Amino acid sequence: MTASFRVLVTGDSLAPAAVNVLSEIGADVVLMHDAVTPERLAHEMARAPTQAILMRGNPVFSAATIAGNPHLRVIAKHGAGVDSVDIDAATASRVLVMVAGDANAPAVAEHTIALILALGRDVVSLNTRTRTGAWDRATYRGREIRGRTIGLVGFGRIARHVARTAAALGMSVVALGRSKGRVDPALAREAADLGELLAVSDIVSLHAPLTDATRGMIDAGRLNAMKPGSLLINTARGALVDEDALCAALRSGHLAGAGLDTLAEEPPAQDRPILQAPNLIVTPHIAAQTGASITRTGVEAARNIVAVLTRRDIDRANVVNPVALDPP
Ligand SMILES: O=C(O)CC[C@@H](O)C(=O)O
């Protein structure tokens, strides 16, 4: 059978269940095995008409890349963050940009909590010390999270999962949504503004999208406004944080620790100062990478593609640029 649709996957794997969803409409699924640069994208899309992108990772979809492929109808994110896509250009070309619901939210929320617990009980450093001969039992004092306040910056699907889990662990939850009134009072108390959230939180966890407005939002001034001895967690996007300022806040001891799953540069050059900061736990943007999450997310992204290509049952809650659904 000649495939009627070509789906380019910007990664080197896709869950078999997700491939099956695409196979049901006879789609030709093409995995990009190499580094996904704009040049490679342009090259791959020039090889044959490509109707859909299943976007794993965060390759840049610029206006030129989108306009260069007139067959493109949908960019379906394998996850939540679409900061690497020029949304205006996609809308102008009537290309739908879609996210994968809350498919990866439980996994990202669990990793957020893992970073908080690991920092609070110094799991990583104690592991190293104990394996190399230390036995710190007499002197070590960890920090409990029960009774602490967690401040969630952003209140989308992932933050809501974190809120529920944090509450179950006995934490108080404050949050700040994209605009006033977006915080569900059953899950969190809405902070008046970022300043108030930073001032009352023992742990600040970032769940905001990366936009022009949020880039670098946690700068030296904001870090300074956090409580002495507090923790910063970032499982969203590295560029939300000024890494040099974070380094300084960790070195001075103003912050007791930071847990980062995302960095401004990924993968980071080995000489980036943040990698040498004390009391830092850093992981390689894997918060969403559990087996179950990868399957759920792949299937949801594949379903989004099928819905657009077959013009059936598009889940509007997953559409980032609904105006692209309107007739031109
Ligand atoms: O799985 C991915 O491709 C990225 C996951 C994450 O960065 C997201 O945007 O949700």
Side-chain angles (χ1 to χ4, degrees):
M1 175 171 72
T2 313
S4 45
F5 301 118
R6 183 170 190 258
V7 179
L8 188 60
V9 182
T10 60
D12 53 14
S13 68
L14 184 63
V19 176
N20 289 345
V21 171
L22 295 168
S23 302
E24 278 167 22
I25 58 162
D28 182 14
V29 179
V30 180
L31 300 178
M32 285 188 74
H33 292 286
D34 301 332
V36 185
T37 60
E39 296 73 32
R40 283 268 302 125
L41 273 175
H43 174 76
E44 198 49 64
M45 292 200 292
R47 282 158 59 110
T50 302
Q51 288 77 19
I53 305 291
L54 197 153
M55 188 168 84
R56 289 208 69 180
N58 297 294
V60 174
F61 275 88
S62 64
T65 307
I66 293 166
N69 181 9
H71 302 276
L72 191 59
R73 288 166 51 195
V74 56
I75 298 174
K77 176 65 199 248
H78 188 280
V82 290
D83 45 280
S84 65
V85 180
D86 186 326
I87 304 290
D88 290 342
T91 306
S93 297
R94 288 283 180 277
V95 173
L96 282 189
V97 180
M98 299 186 72
V99 295
D102 74 346
N104 70 9
V108 179
E110 284 186 14
H111 195 67
T112 302
I113 299 292
L115 291 171
I116 294 169
L117 291 171
L119 285 165
R121 307 304 289 270
D122 301 284
V123 171
V124 176
S125 54
L126 286 176
N127 174 59
T128 307
R129 285 182 54 75
T130 309
R131 284 166 179 262
T132 51
W135 191 252
D136 295 326
R137 192 165 183 277
T139 50
Y140 177 74
R141 299 292 176 268
R143 287 148 293 181
E144 289 178 12
I145 62 169
R146 191 170 58 122
R148 303 285 179 145
T149 297
I150 185 168
L152 306 176
V153 180
F155 204 67
R157 292 161 163 129
I158 294 170
R160 291 197 286 268
H161 272 272
V162 175
R164 284 189 200 94
T165 314
L169 290 167
M171 306 183 79
S172 301
V173 186
V174 296
L176 198 61
R178 210 177 323 157
S179 53
K180 273 263 158 284
R182 291 180 79 100
V183 173
D184 178 351
L187 295 179
R189 176 179 76 74
E190 184 165 41
D193 53 29
L194 184 56
E196 196 237 334
L197 182 142
L198 299 177
V200 301
S201 300
D202 302 297
I203 297 155
V204 173
S205 189
L206 306 182
H207 302 285
L210 179 63
T211 64
D212 289 345
T214 62
R215 188 177 296 278
M217 74 193 292
I218 305 298
D219 58 10
R222 295 300 192 185
L223 290 164
N224 213 24
M226 287 174 63
K227 277 190 184 179
S230 58
L231 304 177
L232 178 72
I233 308 294
N234 188 5
T235 54
R237 286 294 181 266
L240 297 172
V241 179
D242 176 337
E243 281 179 1
D244 290 339
L246 175 58
C247 245
L250 289 167
R251 284 193 196 288
S252 73
H254 175 60
L255 290 195
L260 306 179
D261 184 53
T262 55
L263 294 168
E265 179 185 289
E266 294 180 2
Q270 272 312 293
D271 59 358
R272 275 184 91 83
I274 190 70
L275 298 180
Q276 305 308 323
N279 301 319
L280 173 79
I281 298 179
V282 60
T283 52
H285 202 147
I286 46 68
Q289 305 279 99
T290 68
S293 171
I294 286 173
T295 299
R296 272 195 313 270
T297 309
V299 167
E300 182 82 3
R303 284 193 184 136
N304 284 336
I305 289 173
V306 169
V308 175
L309 297 185
T310 61
R311 299 170 196 274
R312 272 206 314 264
D313 303 328
I314 295 174
D315 184 346
R316 292 185 79 100
N318 285 348
V319 179
V320 174
N321 55 346
V323 65
L325 282 166
D326 298 340

